[in-house]
Amino acid sequence: ALKHALWTGAAGAIGCAEAAAAERAFEPRAEAFAGACRELCKRIRNKLGAGDDRGTEAAVDELFACIAAHPGAGRTYAGSLLGGLLDGLWTLAAPTGQGAAAGSAGDLAEVLACERQADMKRRVLSAVRRISARLHEKRDHKDDYVVGRALRLIEERYGQTELSLAYLAAEVFVSPNHLGMLFKRQTGKTPLAYIQEYRLARAEELLRTTKRRVSAIAEEVGIPNTSYFGTLFKQAYGMTPGEYQETTQR
């Protein structure tokens, strides 16, 4: 009864019978409630994605009005529903996953810790505003974001042979031509030239600091054809990988 009173914000005395009655009254309306909440969550996502902050918060108000109108749904049910909403919104803000899981998990923990609807609403609105700020930043600095994300992907995945302009473009959700233009404008190099340069720099470090076989190093940096790797390395450093390793480790 106390949990029900805290959740609904009821004043005065309340008994277990009233909490149980609210649960029974909710049972036949559960499906309609879930459907209405799904539609409101979809509207929140669409409004947020369109940059309509006022419309987003109005939809959040409607969602909590719907929750308040169904006190029998309970805190746990509402919390799980709102957790799914926030997870989807964080994915919208970070489609590649960068920060999405951590942001969603942190917000979900805070939402589930709330015992009152009013507190839960404040937590959700706070999270929505942070996500909105991140989306606005991405829109205002979209070119910087796209190129920055492509650079991080190269640093993280340079050892993968499938790394290419098309691969990067798919990961950052732009066309290969557009990414190539943005990348060249900001770095002065094409994505493929940058990938090759980065791979060779990592190979140079390994050759200089380890006694690993050239073929193993070539494979690790994403150029498994040892002969081709040797040609590229000699063009960049003026000697074969084997010669470079021997010279630098004398």
Side-chain angles (χ1 to χ4, degrees), residues 228-250:
Y228 181 56
F229 169 70
T231 299
L232 292 176
F233 192 90
K234 187 170 183 179
Q235 288 173 352
Y237 292 92
M239 60 183 78
T240 68
E243 290 169 345
Y244 188 86
Q245 188 174 47
E246 183 179 350
T247 300
T248 55
Q249 296 196 36
R250 281 178 181 169

Side-chain angles (χ1 to χ4, degrees), residues 8-32:
T8 59
I14 186 169
C16 294
E18 293 173 58
E23 291 180 5
R24 288 195 300 273
F26 174 69
E27 287 176 5
R29 303 165 64 187
E31 189 173 343

Side-chain angles (χ1 to χ4, degrees), residues 138-211:
K138 283 172 62 177
R139 291 187 193 98
D140 295 341
H141 305 282
K142 185 177 179 182
D143 292 353
D144 292 341
Y145 173 83
V146 166
V147 175
R149 178 61 184 152
L151 288 168
R152 286 193 298 274
L153 285 168
I154 292 170
E155 292 170 5
E156 293 167 4
R157 306 180 189 180
Y158 66 90
Q160 299 180 12
T161 55
E162 65 269 25
L163 189 63
S164 64
L165 174 58
Y167 178 97
L168 292 172
E171 287 289 313
V172 297
F173 302 97
V174 297
S175 72
N177 286 341
H178 187 59
L179 176 59
M181 178 192 68
L182 294 178
F183 200 97
K184 180 74 180 288
R185 188 168 66 198
Q186 291 205 22
T187 68
K189 301 179 179 126
T190 67
L192 292 180
Y194 189 93
I195 291 169
Q196 180 176 298
E197 185 176 295
Y198 193 87
R199 283 170 166 167
L200 291 174
R202 299 285 72 75
E204 183 277 331
E205 182 181 1
L206 291 170
L207 289 165
R208 179 168 39 82
T209 59
T210 74
K211 296 187 180 297

Side-chain angles (χ1 to χ4, degrees), residues 54-118:
R54 184 175 297 178
T56 300
E57 296 200 12
V60 171
D61 287 340
E62 285 189 57
L63 177 59
F64 274 90
C66 185
I67 291 171
H70 297 79
R75 181 172 71 92
T76 302
Y77 190 162
S80 64
L81 184 151
L82 294 167
L85 167 66
L86 292 174
D87 189 54
L89 297 182
W90 271 112
T91 301
L92 182 68
T96 58
Q98 184 73 19
S104 176
D107 286 336
L108 178 58
E110 291 186 353
V111 165
L112 293 179
C114 296
E115 295 185 340
R116 306 171 190 268
Q117 288 182 32

